[in-house]
């Protein structure tokens, strides 16, 4: 039997279909463990891969196949396994930005509090100054659950002295039977290979060495929109026992009908690579007026997409008063992606967190796709 571990979602029927490593699985029976609020499902029928875009099966049933009926529990609040790695994240990731309208240009501790308590564990701090990044991670220290930092700067290889020191500390921890929280590492690194140029080939060997020397904790791709290139990188890393965890490319509600994007997502599922959606709010197109001070300007074609924004606003009302931002981010989540939401204020942090924990229905998702496709066809004609 193949088992999987899922979080309980209120109202979910256990007679559903789930994704496990790109394979379509039918859940036949399950057992509830009340001590840790976990359902263990027995999956005894496997079928071929199918398109998540058409079936609208959201990956609320996560993570991977476990051999010999053993399971690995995810940290509290972190339900998504990042690709084939051993790291878990929430449904949503965040890119932190400076707030140009604020007098204080540091990191508001309330933002960190909202994100961490809301289940966000994957942070991109590349738009912050070095001082702001250091301040951000200082404010993360009180939280014991791990934080995964996305970076495109490969950290230096540890020296021989640092390796010996790390080994000594690990041995000391074991000999004294210290709890894992004593040396809790709140800053794990997800290194993104820049695939926008051919230079990615030259850095693969350095990436592999950094992973095996524990300088980085996971490896992903940045803007790999070429399927052959994605397969090549995956193959090279797999031969060296380095899992390719993610692929970060632009994706939003206006790109859901894009055939190339659908093919990339299909290959990601096949290779057990988590797709991360960059620019899920389309650089400000899907922002409310209260949140319109984000750093990046709104696109010139915002007027053409007003009917889509109005539809999103209406769907938000049907969902109990959700904002346009929340509908846009939830669309990405329901489409099987991890949205990288821009956050620079308490308001935008609350919007990001409130986009999780609920789901647009199939009719709403199809309506958004049809409206987006119609507008795109009018703009092309």
């Amino acid at each position: 039997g193949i088992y999987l571990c899922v979080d309980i979602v209120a109202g979910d029927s256990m007679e559903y279909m789930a994704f496990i490593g790109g394979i379509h699985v039918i859940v036949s029976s399950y057992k509830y463990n009340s001590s840790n609020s976990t359902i263990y499902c027995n999956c005894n029928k496997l079928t071929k891969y199918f398109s998540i875009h058409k079936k609208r099966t959201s990956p609320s049933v996560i993570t991977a196949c476990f051999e010999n009926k053993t399971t690995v529990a995810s940290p509290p609040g972190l339900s998504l396994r990042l690709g084939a790695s051993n790291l878990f994240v929430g449904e949503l990731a965040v890119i932190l930005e400076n707030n140009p309208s604020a007098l204080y240009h540091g990191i508001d501790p309330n933002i960190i509090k909202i994100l961490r308590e809301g289940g966000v564990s994957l942070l991109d701090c590349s738009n912050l100054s070095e001082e702001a990044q250091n301040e951000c991670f200082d404010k993360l220290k009180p939280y014991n659950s791990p934080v995964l930092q996305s970076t495109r700067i490969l950290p230096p290889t540890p020296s021989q002295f640092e390796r010996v020191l790390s080994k000594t500390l690990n041995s000391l921890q074991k000999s004294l039977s210290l709890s894992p929280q004593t040396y809790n590492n709140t800053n794990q690194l997800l290194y993104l290979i820049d695939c926008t140029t051919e230079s990615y080939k030259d850095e693969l060997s350095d990436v592999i060495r950094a992973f095996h020397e524990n300088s980085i904790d996971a490896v992903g791709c940045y803007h790999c929109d070429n399927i052959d290139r994605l397969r090549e990188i995956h193959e090279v890393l797999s031969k060296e026992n380095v899992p390719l965890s993610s692929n970060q490319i632009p994706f939003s509600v206006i790109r859901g009908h894009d055939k190339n994007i659908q093919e990339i997502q299909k290959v990601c599922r096949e290779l057990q690579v988590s797709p991360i959606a960059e620019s899920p709010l389309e650089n400000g197109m899907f922002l409310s007026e209260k949140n319109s001070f984000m750093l990046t300007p709104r696109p010139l074609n915002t007027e053409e997409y007003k009917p889509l924004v109005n539809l999103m606003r209406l769907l938000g009302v049907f969902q109990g008063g959700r904002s346009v931002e929340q509908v846009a981010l939830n669309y990405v989540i329901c489409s099987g992606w991890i949205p990288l939401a821009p956050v620079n204020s308490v308001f935008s942090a609350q919007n990001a967190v409130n986009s999780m924990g609920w789901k647009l229905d199939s009719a709403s998702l199809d309506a958004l796709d049809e409206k987006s496709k119609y507008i795109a066809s009018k703009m092309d004609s």
Side-chain angles (χ1 to χ4, degrees):
I2 299 176
Y3 280 69
L4 66 140
C5 175
V6 302
D7 291 336
I8 296 176
V9 180
D12 274 6
S13 169
M14 289 310 298
E15 296 179 357
Y16 49 64
M17 296 173 289
F19 272 100
I20 300 184
I23 303 174
H24 179 198
V25 177
I26 297 180
V27 175
S28 60
S29 63
Y30 63 93
K31 180 175 67 175
Y32 173 54
N33 185 339
S34 59
S35 64
N36 59 3
S37 299
T38 300
I39 295 177
Y40 294 92
C41 307
N42 184 15
C43 310
N44 60 6
K45 183 176 181 181
L46 305 180
T47 61
K48 293 182 179 180
Y49 175 88
F50 70 99
S51 173
I52 192 172
H53 178 77
K54 294 180 179 178
K55 291 292 184 180
R56 294 299 184 192
T57 305
S58 178
S60 58
V61 181
I62 309 299
T63 43
C65 298
F66 301 104
E67 298 179 358
N68 301 323
K69 300 184 180 180
T70 60
T71 60
V72 178
S74 62
L78 307 182
S79 58
L80 289 173
R81 191 171 190 170
L82 194 65
S85 71
N86 293 323
L87 302 177
F88 289 84
V89 297
E91 288 184 317
L92 176 138
V94 159
I95 179 167
L96 292 172
E97 298 181 341
N98 291 311
N99 186 343
S101 68
L103 296 176
Y104 170 64
H105 292 288
I107 300 297
D108 187 337
N110 290 318
I111 294 177
I112 301 300
K113 178 181 174 64
I114 292 170
L115 296 178
R116 298 302 291 123
E117 294 182 353
V120 176
S121 65
L122 177 53
L123 300 178
D124 185 338
C125 302
S126 58
N127 287 347
L128 299 178
S129 64
E130 184 177 352
E131 181 181 358
Q133 289 187 36
N134 293 333
E135 180 185 356
C136 174
F137 289 108
D138 282 340
K139 291 174 179 175
L140 286 167
K141 287 180 180 178
Y143 301 92
N144 286 323
S145 54
V147 172
L148 183 61
Q149 180 190 2
S150 174
T151 180
R152 295 197 296 275
I153 301 176
L154 198 62
T157 303
S159 64
Q160 183 67 25
F161 172 77
E162 290 172 323
R163 294 189 190 122
V164 173
L165 179 61
S166 177
K167 187 175 181 180
T168 303
L169 287 175
N170 290 335
S171 300
L172 180 62
Q173 178 181 355
K174 291 180 181 179
S175 63
L176 295 179
S177 299
L178 298 177
S179 67
Q181 293 182 355
T182 305
Y183 294 112
N184 182 41
N185 178 17
T186 60
N187 184 11
Q188 298 172 321
L189 289 179
L190 165 64
Y191 178 72
L192 300 181
I193 301 172
D194 190 345
C195 299
T196 57
T197 65
E198 292 294 328
S199 62
Y200 75 92
K201 297 180 180 180
D202 300 327
E203 67 172 318
L204 283 177
S205 58
D206 293 332
V207 171
I208 293 169
R209 183 170 61 253
F211 180 83
H212 287 304
E213 292 178 346
N214 298 320
S215 297
I216 55 178
D217 301 278
V219 180
C221 286
Y222 176 74
H223 283 205
C224 189
D225 54 4
N226 182 293
I227 292 177
D228 293 334
R229 181 170 295 183
L230 182 62
R231 289 187 181 278
E232 175 194 355
I233 294 174
H234 180 271
E235 182 180 1
V236 171
L237 295 178
S238 296
K239 289 180 180 179
E240 300 295 335
N241 296 319
V242 178
L244 182 61
S245 303
S246 63
N247 183 23
Q248 179 176 316
I249 59 175
F251 178 80
S252 71
V253 64
I254 68 172
R255 303 172 191 263
H257 61 272
D258 189 302
K259 297 296 183 183
N260 183 51
I261 294 292
Q262 293 176 23
E263 285 300 313
I264 292 174
Q265 183 182 13
K266 181 178 178 179
V267 173
C268 284
R269 290 286 172 185
E270 175 191 336
L271 301 178
Q272 298 187 47
V273 173
S274 295
I276 297 178
E278 185 176 294
S279 302
L281 301 180
E282 285 297 328
N283 294 330
M285 184 186 296
F286 306 128
L287 289 180
S288 62
E289 292 304 317
K290 185 176 179 181
N291 204 25
S292 61
F293 51 73
M294 301 295 286
L295 276 178
T296 47
R298 297 189 178 208
L300 296 177
N301 60 352
T302 303
E303 289 296 321
E304 285 83 348
Y305 279 96
K306 263 193 175 179
L308 177 62
V309 175
N310 290 335
L311 174 60
M312 295 167 71
R313 186 174 290 112
L314 179 63
L315 293 176
V317 172
F318 292 156
Q319 290 290 338
R322 304 287 179 179
S323 67
V324 173
E325 294 97 320
Q326 292 171 33
V327 172
L329 295 172
N330 193 263
Y331 171 91
V332 175
I333 293 173
C334 291
S335 299
W337 294 66
I338 301 174
L340 186 62
V343 166
N344 68 352
S345 66
V346 168
F347 179 78
S348 56
Q350 290 172 335
N351 255 325
V353 169
N354 289 336
S355 67
M356 300 184 287
W358 59 281
K359 285 181 170 54
L360 291 165
D361 57 29
S362 297
S364 298
L365 294 167
D366 290 337
L368 289 170
D369 276 340
E370 289 301 318
K371 180 66 73 174
S372 173
K373 188 175 181 179
Y374 173 73
I375 294 174
S377 63
K378 284 186 62 178
M379 293 175 64
D380 292 338
S381 61

